[in-house]
Amino acid sequence: MVASNTHPTEKTMHTENNFESLRDGVRSVVSQFDSRYWQEIDEARAFPEKFVQALTSAGWLSALIPEEYGGSNLSLVEASVIMEEINRAGGNSGACHGQMYVMGCVVRHGSQAQKEALLPKIASGELRMQSMAVTEPTTGSDTTQLKTFAERKGDRYIVNGQKVWTSRLQHSDYMLLLARTTPLAEVKKKSEGLSVFLVDLREAVGKSITVRPIRNMVNHETNEIFIDNLEIPVENRIGEEGKGLKYILDGLNAERILIAAECIGDGYWFVDKAKDYANQRVVFDRPIAKNQGIQFPIARAFVNVEAASLMRYEAARLFDAQQPCGAQANMSKLLAADASWEAANVCLQTHGGFGFAAEYDIERKFRETRLYQVAPISTNLILSYVGEHVLGMPKSY
Ligand SMILES: Cc1cc2nc3c(=O)[nH]c(=O)nc-3n(C[C@H](O)[C@H](O)[C@H](O)COP(=O)(O)OP(=O)(O)OC[C@H]3O[C@@H](n4cnc5c(N)ncnc54)[C@H](O)[C@@H]3O)c2cc1C
C-alpha cells in the first residue's frame, strides 16, 4: 500500500500542491496504462481489467475500508484525490469507483459477520463488490416506486423484478440490491418498506438472474437484469428490514463527492490538453493560443474546474467531520459535472478536426465525462434538491 495515512489538516487542505505523494502514487499506477491501452479497450468495448487490478493491488481502491479489515481508512478528502488523479492522469475511474464506495453500505450498516466475511476480501481484491442495482426501467429517478419485490419466506427472501443500468455486474462477485419488502400501499411513508441485500452473483447469474448487457455511448459495462425467484438468505439483508432506502441514501453523499472529484480530474485533463495543443498548433503564422477566442474559453474552463474543486474539498471536509453535507455534496457534483463538460467542449473545439480523432483521446473522454450530467443523479434532480432543501421552495415533483 503506497497511500499515506496522514490526514490532511484544514490549513493545508486547499493549497495547490496538496497531497503530492498521494497524487504521485496514483499517477505511477495509472501511467502504466497509456493512450493506446485505452483506445484498444474502447474499440473492443472491453473491461479495463488490468487497470482495475493494478489499482486494487496497489491498495488505492480500499482507501475507505477501515484498517481492522485490511483497508487504509483514508479520509474522504484523500479518497476524492485518488479518484481525481485517476481521471486527471487519463484513466477512467468509472470502471472502478464502485469498488471504492459500494462497500460503504456494509461498513456503515452491515452486521459484524458481513463485515468480517466481505471487507478483508474486498480490500485484498479477492472479492469484487462494485455493482449496485437501484434503478429500474419503469420508475427511473422516482426510486420509492421501484417494483422489484423481496418476499420473506422463512429464513430466505424470494426476489422477483427487473433492474436497469446495473453497472460492473459482470466484473463483480457481489451486488448490492434495493428491493421493496413491504408493498407501497402498506407503508406510512413511501421511503419506508425498502430493504437492501447482498447478492452473491457467482451463484445467481445464469440461474435466477439473467443479464442483458446494454451497449452504450461510453465503454461502460452496464446491464439490464431480470430477477426470477432469486433466493437470498436472511443473513444477507443489510441492517433492518424496511430501512434500505435510508442506508442507500446515507452513502450517496460520499458517492456524489467522489464522482465530483472524477469530473474535476477530467476537467484538468481537458484544460491541460487544450492549453498544450493551443500553444503548439500554428495557424495563420501564430499559435492558436494567441487568439483570445481560443485562450479565454480555456481560461474560463480552468476557473470553473478550480471553483468546483474547492466545493469538493468543502463537501469532503464536512463529510469527514461527520457534519451535514448533503447540500455541499450535491452542489459539488453539479459544479464539477458542469465544469468538466464545459472543459470537454472547449478542448474538443480547440483541437478542431483532430479532436474527433480517437488517437487524441479527447472524443473518448468527452463521452465519458458527459455521463455525469445524467448519472448517478441527473442535474435536474440536484437542482430540485437545492431548490427544496437549501432554498426552502416547494418540492418540484
Ligand atoms: C452508463 C450508466 C450507468 C449507470 N449505472 C447505474 C448503476 O450502476 N446502478 C443504478 O442503480 N443506476 C445506474 N444508472 C442509472 C442512473 O442513475 C439513472 O440513469 C439516473 O438516475 C436517471 O434516471 P433515468 O435514466 O431513469 O431518468 P428519468 O428518471 O427517466 O429522467 C429522465 C430525465 O428527466 C428528468 N426529470 C425526471 N423527473 C424530473 C423532475 N421532477 N423535474 C425535472 N426533471 C426531471 C431527469 O433529470 C432526466 O434528465 C446508470 C446510468 C447510466 C447511463
Side-chain angles (χ1 to χ4, degrees):
M1 175 73 211
V2 266
S4 148
N5 278 331
T6 316
H7 282 240
T9 63
E10 278 194 38
K11 207 171 151 204
T12 60
M13 195 175 287
H14 301 298
T15 61
E16 200 193 336
N17 291 325
N18 239 337
F19 311 110
E20 273 315 311
S21 62
L22 193 62
R23 291 182 188 280
D24 286 347
V26 178
R27 223 175 291 138
S28 73
V29 177
V30 182
S31 63
Q32 295 163 25
F33 302 90
D34 58 9
S35 248
R36 183 178 286 264
Y37 172 82
W38 289 107
Q39 284 157 25
E40 285 173 1
I41 291 278
D42 195 59
E43 206 172 323
R45 297 272 155 174
F47 187 75
E49 182 59 43
K50 282 191 181 154
F51 166 76
V52 177
Q53 192 52 52
L55 285 167
T56 309
S57 306
W60 295 116
L61 300 182
S62 57
L64 295 174
I65 296 179
E67 272 174 302
E68 60 193 296
Y69 299 111
S72 48
N73 200 32
L74 299 189
S75 63
L76 194 71
V77 170
E78 290 162 304
S80 83
V81 171
I82 295 171
M83 286 292 132
E84 176 194 334
E85 205 54 45
I86 292 172
N87 279 24
R88 193 172 185 166
N92 175 16
S93 33
C96 63
H97 55 200
Q99 184 73 354
M100 184 184 261
Y101 62 69
V102 172
M103 60 76 221
C105 194
V106 178
V107 173
R108 282 183 297 275
H109 306 290
S111 66
Q112 194 57 31
Q114 287 167 346
K115 289 182 196 179
E116 284 169 11
L118 292 175
L119 297 177
K121 290 184 179 166
I122 293 172
S124 70
E126 195 182 323
L127 279 184
R128 287 222 182 122
M129 188 168 117
Q130 48 177 356
S131 193
M132 183 159 82
V134 174
T135 310
E136 296 195 359
T138 58
T139 46
S141 307
D142 198 357
T143 309
T144 59
Q145 304 298 315
L146 64 78
K147 297 187 176 65
T148 297
F149 199 86
E151 188 183 359
R152 177 90 184 246
K153 288 213 167 142
D155 61 354
R156 359 214 83 219
Y157 286 89
I158 309 296
V159 189
N160 283 286
Q162 193 181 342
K163 295 282 175 182
V164 72
W165 303 117
T166 311
S167 299
R168 298 166 299 273
L169 177 144
Q170 298 178 68
H171 295 86
S172 294
D173 302 297
Y174 276 87
M175 172 181 85
L176 218 54
L177 171 74
L178 186 67
R180 206 158 250 300
T181 38
T182 306
L184 196 55
E186 293 171 26
V187 290
K188 279 196 205 122
K189 283 165 74 180
K190 58 187 182 174
S191 57
E192 292 169 357
L194 293 153
S195 302
V196 69
F197 300 95
L198 289 161
V199 178
D200 188 339
L201 293 167
R202 297 163 302 182
E203 287 175 9
V205 171
K207 294 175 194 150
S208 44
I209 293 185
T210 305
V211 180
R212 194 180 69 81
I214 304 174
R215 168 125 196 185
N216 59 87
M217 176 176 148
V218 205
N219 178 28
H220 194 95
E221 192 250 283
T222 190
N223 310 279
E224 190 168 16
I225 64 171
F226 303 87
I227 307 172
D228 184 20
N229 288 324
L230 166 70
E231 289 193 19
I232 304 181
V234 167
E235 59 266 26
N236 280 16
R237 191 189 66 225
I238 294 184
E240 283 180 53
E241 185 179 291
K243 299 212 166 147
L245 186 62
K246 180 180 171 299
Y247 301 151
I248 294 285
L249 292 177
D250 259 10
L252 290 189
N253 286 336
E255 187 191 69
R256 306 248 192 283
I257 295 166
L258 292 173
I259 300 277
E262 292 174 32
C263 293
I264 289 159
D266 278 344
Y268 283 127
W269 185 92
F270 285 120
V271 167
D272 283 347
K273 282 269 172 196
K275 160 185 73 100
D276 292 347
Y277 187 78
N279 279 335
Q280 57 93 11
R281 172 72 169 170
V282 175
V283 183
F284 299 114
D285 297 325
R286 58 186 184 157
I288 57 170
K290 266 198 166 181
N291 304 305
Q292 291 177 342
I294 288 289
Q295 186 183 112
F296 287 7
I298 299 172
R300 184 179 289 277
F302 175 71
V303 171
N304 287 338
V305 175
E306 287 274 291
S309 182
L310 289 177
M311 180 61 90
R312 170 275 304 259
Y313 280 128
E314 177 60 1
R317 182 188 68 80
L318 289 168
F319 183 96
D320 286 333
Q322 297 178 355
Q323 305 270 316
C325 66
Q328 290 78 4
N330 275 290
M331 290 191 288
S332 72
K333 158 72 173 56
L334 181 98
L335 289 171
D338 282 354
S340 70
W341 179 230
E342 180 195 1
N345 264 316
V346 167
C347 185
L348 195 123
Q349 196 67 22
T350 303
H351 281 73
F354 290 110
F356 290 80
E359 67 173 286
Y360 282 74
D361 297 318
I362 293 158
E363 60 85 34
R364 168 179 67 86
K365 280 270 197 188
F366 182 91
R367 287 180 276 123
E368 284 169 4
T369 220
R370 181 62 178 82
L371 173 63
Y372 298 121
Q373 294 283 330
V374 170
I377 181 173
S378 71
T379 302
N380 275 359
L381 271 285
I382 294 185
L383 291 172
S384 156
Y385 175 93
V386 173
E388 182 188 345
H389 295 283
V390 180
L391 300 176
M393 292 189 277
K395 195 179 184 84
S396 67
Y397 56 87

